[in-house]
Amino acid sequence: MPDFDFSVLGTREHPTLGLDTFGDAPLDDAPANHAETLRQTVAEAVLADRVGVDYIGLGEHHRPDYAISAPDVVLAAIAGQTERIRLGTGVTVLSSDDPIRVYQRFATLDAVSNGRAEVQLGRGSFIESFGLFGLELSDYDRLFAEKLDLFAALQDEGPVSWEGTVRPPLVDQRVYPTTAAGRVPAWIGVGGTPQSVVRAAQYGMPLMLAVIGGSPAGFVQLADLYREALGRMELPELPIGMHSPGHVAATDEQAREQLYPHQAELYTRIGRERGWPPYSRIQFEQAASKEGALFVGSPETVAQKIAWGAKMLGLSRFQLKYSVGSLPHDQRMESVRLYGEEVIPRVRELLRVGS
């Protein structure tokens, strides 16, 4: 693994605090919904940069309820209107993409943003991209494993020789553009499988835990497993991050009342696709509880919960997925503002006090 300053992604002592969005779009069949949602996403990221948020991650989807299918294009638009915020994904669905093109796109983004690009690689939680791009779902595991192996080889930014079953081999092939830092930093996003955690360590890639259900406390064993695997391979400690949904408003009551109907509609709709029962208020309150996976409430409530999770898991990064269903743009903007101006400074204070 070549020298790279992973501290730019965050450290336990100084974690980066970011935001994620999938470009959640209303489902009322209005032709302009996706276009307007994409413009709103850029505005939300520009505000995030202005109020001190460290990172913005855009998740790739190919469904009517999410507007972002080409995160790198939207990130390039954001790069042109921002100065300091890091730009990445959450996640890029590597299984249904070309690793070389992914690397080229994010190396290009890194250049135009003056070194602020990174990428989070994953399988994705939906499967629409397989049929869309002519791939067989039966190849789910093989596609991700081989494409991740190729992407990891590209990170050295030297001549690449690689052979697998998903594409023709490469022999001493160079990929351009190269980056000023020597690589596009890449995380591996996982939903909770030990095998994926160990694989992230094997490739020397930071680990992003998608904590969208249960409790963050349930992921401590995975964080420990990752550090143990790094140790066995005599690799230095690398960043661990956590992605969780939530919403910030002036008070706990306001945040919950704003979020609940959109959270319930989204989870009930997805549940119909997957055979889950309708989402209930009881489920919502359990998730929003002190140790649940939903980070919703006043700035103080959300900050306390982030600090708790960061200490427990030893996080170097936390990403709040702040857009949920058809939550209105003005409420998302206020959530972004409060996150940057009040939550982030309070988290940093809490972590200093607890150190």
Side-chain angles (χ1 to χ4, degrees), residues 124-162:
S125 58
F126 296 94
I127 60 173
E128 287 82 4
S129 63
F130 283 81
L132 185 64
F133 298 118
L135 301 169
E136 295 293 334
L137 193 57
S138 59
D139 292 331
Y140 184 84
D141 291 324
R142 179 169 63 94
L143 285 166
F144 185 72
E146 291 197 14
K147 291 184 177 187
L148 179 62
D149 189 63
L150 174 54
F151 189 95
L154 299 172
Q155 284 191 296
D156 291 343
E157 297 193 348
V160 176
S161 293
W162 183 91

Side-chain angles (χ1 to χ4, degrees), residues 23 40 54 64 123-124 130-131 150 166 204 219 221 270 277 293 307 318 326 336:
Q40 290 173 353
D54 298 320
R123 304 166 186 263
F130 283 81
L150 174 54
V166 298
F219 288 75
Q221 288 184 325
I270 293 174
F318 177 82
S326 55
V336 170

Side-chain angles (χ1 to χ4, degrees), residues 5 59 63 75 85 126 169 177 179 190 195 199 207 214 238 243-244 249 254 274 296 315 317 326 332 340-341 346 351:
D5 183 12
R63 297 168 49 91
L75 290 167
I85 195 168
F126 296 94
T179 61
V190 304
Q195 296 89 341
R199 177 158 47 193
L207 176 71
L238 295 173
H243 153 106
S244 290
Q254 184 182 29
R274 302 185 178 187
V296 57
L315 298 179
R317 166 81 60 89
S326 55
R332 299 197 306 267
E341 293 183 348
R346 181 60 174 145
L351 292 177

Side-chain angles (χ1 to χ4, degrees), residues 20 34 43 58 63 74 86 125 147 173 184 221 223 251-252 303:
D20 286 339
H34 286 166
L58 308 186
R63 297 168 49 91
V74 185
R86 292 194 64 81
S125 58
K147 291 184 177 187
Q173 182 69 53
V184 174
Q221 288 184 325
T251 67
D252 288 350

